[in-house]
Amino acid sequence: MSKGPIAEGLERADQLSEAGRYADALEELDRAMVENPSRAAIHTARGWTLENLGQERLPEARKAYEEALHLDPRALWAKEGLSNVMRRLGDADEANRLAREVVEEGTPRSDIEPDLRELVGWCQLRLGHYDDAVETLREALTLDGRWTAVRFDLALALLCSGDRVHAALEYQRGVHQAENWGLERLRGYVRVALDDLEEALAERPDLAGTREAMTARRLLRSTLVAPQRTG
């Protein structure tokens, strides 16, 4: 799952984050926050970097997302991020409440703000509405087939919905697509996809032993170890 569209003036932090260099991205964002502490987009981006720096940084990520929502209650990327953090902190009820709000608020806004389809689809997935998630994420890819993060989300939604053959295909497409973005971004995209897969399999042990899930895991892990693929 990504952290959302690139905010003006935060391009360098976004590039570092996409490459998985979260500590470096956080330094960039901390400097930006000193200059503009009331900008919700900076707090949202900080939340994303902090939640990817490990379990011990989740309380800080929570505060960053909460501050973003305090500054801008319509900041759905912050609300989605807070939902993810609350789930990882063990508060599934609050995580689901926030995810439902993202779906309810984001669906009518997605025609004007197309990037929100990624958010809505992800939250549908986390709520267990797998068929809805597949439909939403496929719609997003019709708008931009290069949307690598969405393709990995679609692969996971397909896997959870039971369409395992197409899930495996989308994971392969996602890796191939990520290779076109360069070595660092490849690692960043694949690392997030692998983390999302592992989290889903921990919650759905019925999927963990399936051939397609094991194939997807091997594909993502091998790509991280030897990312420069040929042919």
Side-chain angles (χ1 to χ4, degrees), residues 174-192:
V175 168
H176 178 72
Q177 196 169 57
E179 289 173 339
N180 296 327
W181 295 115
L183 184 60
E184 281 199 330
R185 289 178 71 183
L186 166 66
R187 287 172 172 163
Y189 280 127
V190 172
R191 169 51 63 190
V192 171

Side-chain angles (χ1 to χ4, degrees), residues 20 23 35 39 53 59-60 88 98 103 112 117 119 132 168 182 193 203 214:
E35 298 177 1
R39 190 176 177 196
L53 283 172
E60 294 174 78
R88 290 169 184 164
L98 291 164
V103 174
I112 299 174
R117 282 183 171 84
L119 264 190
D132 291 340
E203 295 174 357
M214 291 188 290

